[in-house]
Amino acid sequence: MTENVPTITVHPDQPGADLGDLYGIFFEDLNHAADGGLYAEMVQNRSFEFCMVDNPEYHALTAWETAQGTPLQPTPLTLRVLSDAPLNPTNQHYLQVDTHEPLTIRNHGYNQGMYFQNGAVYNFSVFARKLYAPVTLTIALTDETGQVLASGETVIAANDWRQYRVSLVSQATTTTGRLQVTISGNAHVSLDMISLFPKDTFKGRANGVRKDLGEKLAALQPKFMRFPGGCLVHDGSLDPRDRDASYRWKNSIGPVEARPARRNSWGYNQTLGLGYFELFQLAEDIGATPLPVLPGGWDPHHQWGAPLAELQPFIDDALDLIEFANGAPDTEWGAQRAARGHPASFNLRYIAIGNEEVGQAFFDRYPQFHAKIKARYPDMKIINSAGPFAAGSEFDRGWTSARKQHSDLVDEHYYCTPNWFLANQHRYDTYDAHGPKAFLGEYASWGNHWGNALAEASCMIGLERNADKVGLACYAPLLCNTDYRNWAPDLIWFNQHQVYGSVNYDVQKLFMNWQGQHNIAHTETNMPAATPLPAAPTTGAVRWQGDGADVAYSNMAYTDLLTETTQHLADGTVKEQDRAEVLAKTSGYFRLTFDFVKTGGRPDKGVHLDFGVADEQHKFSWVLGGWQNQDALISQDDEGGNSCLTQSIWHVEPNMPYHCELTVDGDHITGKINGHVFNDIRIPSGEIAPLYINATSIAGHVIVKLVNVQAAAQTVEVTGLPDGEALVLTQHADPTAQNSFAHPDTVTKAETPLGVVNHTASITVLAYGIVFVVSRGEK
Ligand code: AHR
């Protein structure tokens, strides 16, 4: 060790916690991640099931047009969407064509059209039946002008529903393709499940996954795959036969044409074509252990749930799913898996009950699931839920339930700013290594810039360091079709013909590819001092900010806790998105008391009391009736977005007076409503470490991980390494760098061999850089 030189000494002979399945991915069908995305089906609305329940703008002929490109309209007696004598009772609508003249219909798929590649094979299929004479269907792949790129025919010869297939080879490439079906004249024919798949799917699976997207997932080498959501799991009615039912997996495994389309809570139609079998298969194909999330019989969006005595169907769903995944082919559900061509077990080891559940109602239900699953499958790891935020009463409720029920893991979610992540680097240091483990089931810093990715990298170092307390972690969301964005940032962006990983993807890939099997001890000497994170002042303005409700406030008083003086403030009203400043500046140590009444506006909305307002990007908010008027929370806006600091369940009733008290005592904020503390939090503060450091090992190889979030390079001596060949993996970029279709690789990456002599290497981590030193260059 050179004197006074910042040095990291690794101790490969001192193993620490096992990293297990730490890094994985979270797949949810939002942003058209499945339909119009990962699911390789090219036809949109293939079975004429789109309807207003999915989206007010949808109808049974959405995405279909005439040969002239005008939206397809039902024409009485010629072209109708019917549901009598359907192909199956679960997916009832079909297209009925009764025409003397030849009639052409076209589907434009997703985005600006289908992607056909010159020489590629496309598999067309349709379920059809005819009434009188045989009907010829001419199938064509065209570009948007109608230019034919491939064509073929099939004759509908039977009076009952049968499937017909045509294979087509495209003679040109287009990104604005259409699938065209021309029905011969004098036809009386019913058509359903009009489908087109590229033959070349990921791993060549029928009803499979888009190859480029599947490869992008596989390249991550995730240890697990959480699916199928997210909010779409628990949002919906309790009856699985309902169009807007919560996600019931048994609906997703039948013959594709019989899977009931459902309302996807992200505002579109979910075909369930990419169902549970396909998702288990995908997990296996990318080498990830499956981690399904099941509804717990309680929908926190609508605040309804199955009565406690009627939970059994939901519990059966969980038990049967485990049998479906793992049961021998001679079991009832194992036989269903085997019948789909997979007699071997999917080796399911984790199951999550609930996603972001809040409220006691869920935690009254969870114990029943837990007890019955553990009784039958004692080794199954069961995941409880800690709500949608990083702290507060609902977060605590989830953890309390998990400890009481002996859940194996607790699902935490947070979407926050880069500074919040840096300030919370030590979040897991104080967790109990003997209780349930944390599962960071959804996290991201608000952005797809390199500065965000670096903050996430620093967080991942903290997760690894605490691998005895943190079991699993996955970034969210995973996928976004750029033309159908519900949520950003996202890990992977695509349209119908292109895909790129965000810079956050680069970081996730680096950490997943080089996770290591277990930690090894390391010591740090002569490291430069940490830099304090800039403090967020609470001394700015105080104002009301409307959030869709009409509110009248009165009896406002501001007490400066330093001078013990009180100032009375004017009464007023806010509505819609009104703002009303009531004070230009506070001392940073103050109490605000006030009364307010919601007098009108949206029932699902409340109001914000902003304080410490410097500008729109720098402020705190006490949100009274947030989200769907279900929360009281304190949030902070700073560089790069908003972080919820703490949340409790609370809602504002109309025409009800509330007496509130907000105390800001330096970094300690307390919010009381009618005398009860609903929010109590310290503003996260902390330091920026000169480097975020962890060391792991796998099969005798040592991986030293160094993350530099600062503007200056940092050189360190790394000692304790095995002598011989090492590989230095580096990534760095400007914090504002982000990838795009035009510039998919803005992060500078290198893999440089390095000879390690005397167990020591000098390593420079560039400004805003990451370095992994991998001894011997192999895993
Ligand atoms: O990841 C996007 C959404 O964020 C998920 O559906 C939900 O669980 C969370 O609120």
Side-chain angles (χ1 to χ4, degrees), residues 386-387 389-400 412 427 431 647:
F389 300 110
S393 67
E394 296 316 298
F395 177 85
D396 293 342
R397 200 198 298 265
W399 271 96
T400 303
E412 297 188 352
R427 174 182 175 90
Y431 275 44
Q647 170 261 9

Side-chain angles (χ1 to χ4, degrees), residues 713-731:
Q714 179 65 58
T715 299
V716 286
E717 214 166 81
V718 180
T719 188
L721 294 168
D723 275 351
E725 272 294 288
L727 191 63
V728 181
L729 310 169
T730 58
Q731 296 190 353

Side-chain angles (χ1 to χ4, degrees), residues 456-472:
E456 288 148 15
S458 75
C459 165
M460 294 169 91
I461 292 285
L463 301 176
E464 284 188 13
R465 252 199 355 256
N466 288 293
D468 53 339
K469 302 148 202 155
V470 183
L472 306 166

Side-chain angles (χ1 to χ4, degrees), residues 314-639:
F314 286 90
I315 297 169
D316 287 343
D317 273 6
L319 296 171
D320 295 343
L321 180 66
I322 297 169
E323 188 174 287
F324 178 73
N326 295 352
D330 61 357
T331 59
E332 180 189 352
W333 290 98
Q336 298 252 17
R337 182 193 69 245
R340 283 160 185 77
H342 200 289
S345 161
F346 279 121
N347 194 20
L348 179 64
R349 293 184 284 121
Y350 299 99
I351 192 164
I353 304 302
N355 165 71
E356 292 192 347
E357 266 67 6
V358 291
Q360 190 52 39
F362 171 75
F363 297 98
D364 291 339
R365 286 161 177 74
Y366 174 88
Q368 290 198 40
F369 286 85
H370 189 97
K372 288 181 177 158
I373 295 170
K374 281 286 180 192
R376 195 175 303 173
Y377 300 104
D379 295 333
M380 188 59 56
K381 294 206 180 308
I382 308 179
I383 301 167
N384 205 326
S385 168
F389 300 110
S393 67
E394 296 316 298
F395 177 85
D396 293 342
R397 200 198 298 265
W399 271 96
T400 303
S401 161
R403 288 191 194 99
K404 190 164 169 210
Q405 302 302 323
H406 303 292
S407 306
D408 297 282
L409 294 125
V410 185
D411 186 9
E412 297 188 352
H413 295 179
Y414 38 81
Y415 298 92
C416 294
T417 61
N419 276 348
W420 184 94
F421 278 92
L422 295 176
N424 282 276
Q425 167 66 207
H426 295 285
R427 174 182 175 90
Y428 295 105
D429 293 1
T430 52
Y431 275 44
D432 177 5
H434 304 292
K437 282 190 162 193
F439 168 21
L440 185 46
E442 293 183 25
Y443 74 99
S445 86
W446 286 121
N448 278 139
H449 297 100
W450 182 244
N452 301 101
L454 269 184
E456 288 148 15
S458 75
C459 165
M460 294 169 91
I461 292 285
L463 301 176
E464 284 188 13
R465 252 199 355 256
N466 288 293
D468 53 339
K469 302 148 202 155
V470 183
L472 306 166
C474 46
Y475 180 98
L478 181 64
L479 288 160
C480 182
N481 183 324
T482 50
D483 289 339
Y484 304 96
R485 189 172 92 171
N486 297 115
W487 183 292
D490 301 287
L491 204 61
I492 298 169
W493 294 79
F494 62 90
N495 55 27
Q496 85 284 33
H497 68 113
Q498 292 165 294
V499 54
Y500 71 88
S502 61
V503 295
N504 318 64
Y505 175 94
D506 292 330
V507 163
Q508 292 291 324
K509 182 165 180 279
L510 182 67
F511 276 78
M512 284 192 216
N513 287 188
W514 298 98
Q515 178 187 289
Q517 193 185 328
H518 59 79
N519 280 331
I520 56 174
H522 73 271
T523 48
E524 300 166 24
T525 39
N526 301 323
M527 291 300 284
T531 322
L533 270 168
T538 49
T539 50
V542 176
R543 68 162 190 221
W544 289 91
Q545 165 73 62
D547 185 27
D550 301 345
V551 165
Y553 55 90
S554 57
N555 301 322
M556 281 198 90
Y558 165 78
T559 301
D560 186 325
L561 298 178
L562 298 176
T563 58
E564 295 187 352
T565 52
T566 296
Q567 182 183 344
H568 293 280
L569 308 172
D571 297 351
T573 58
V574 282
K575 61 196 303 195
E576 301 289 338
Q577 303 301 318
D578 283 356
R579 282 182 192 154
E581 184 172 297
V582 289
L583 206 57
K585 202 155 179 52
T586 64
S587 76
Y589 295 83
F590 63 92
R591 177 166 298 129
L592 275 166
T593 53
F594 57 90
D595 298 324
F596 85 97
V597 179
K598 175 173 171 174
T599 53
R602 284 176 52 174
D604 61 339
K605 285 291 169 191
V607 69
H608 300 189
L609 184 75
D610 294 342
F611 57 98
V613 180
D615 54 46
E616 283 324 300
Q617 280 72 48
H618 299 89
K619 63 181 164 72
F620 293 86
S621 303
W622 191 15
V623 177
L624 296 161
W627 188 50
Q628 296 179 341
N629 189 13
Q630 292 194 26
D631 299 321
L633 61 84
I634 290 170
S635 69
Q636 178 184 9
D637 285 85
D638 74 356
E639 309 302 326

Side-chain angles (χ1 to χ4, degrees), residues 161-215:
W161 286 108
R162 302 231 179 133
Q163 192 174 29
Y164 300 83
R165 299 172 193 273
V166 180
S167 183
L168 301 151
V169 180
S170 181
Q171 300 304 313
T173 294
T174 180
T175 58
T176 56
R178 306 284 188 264
L179 169 69
Q180 183 167 294
V181 180
T182 301
I183 300 118
S184 57
N186 294 321
H188 298 274
V189 67
S190 312
L191 305 172
D192 203 354
M193 281 297 286
I194 302 178
S195 168
L196 186 72
F197 270 85
K199 181 168 181 247
D200 192 15
T201 58
F202 179 58
K203 302 271 180 190
R205 304 270 176 223
N207 194 45
V209 158
R210 229 174 87 170
K211 188 175 184 181
D212 55 349
L213 293 175
E215 286 174 348

Side-chain angles (χ1 to χ4, degrees), residues 725-730 749-755 763 772-774 777:
E725 272 294 288
L727 191 63
V728 181
L729 310 169
T730 58
K749 302 188 196 97
E751 292 193 8
T752 319
L754 173 80
I763 301 292
F772 280 21
V773 182
V774 184

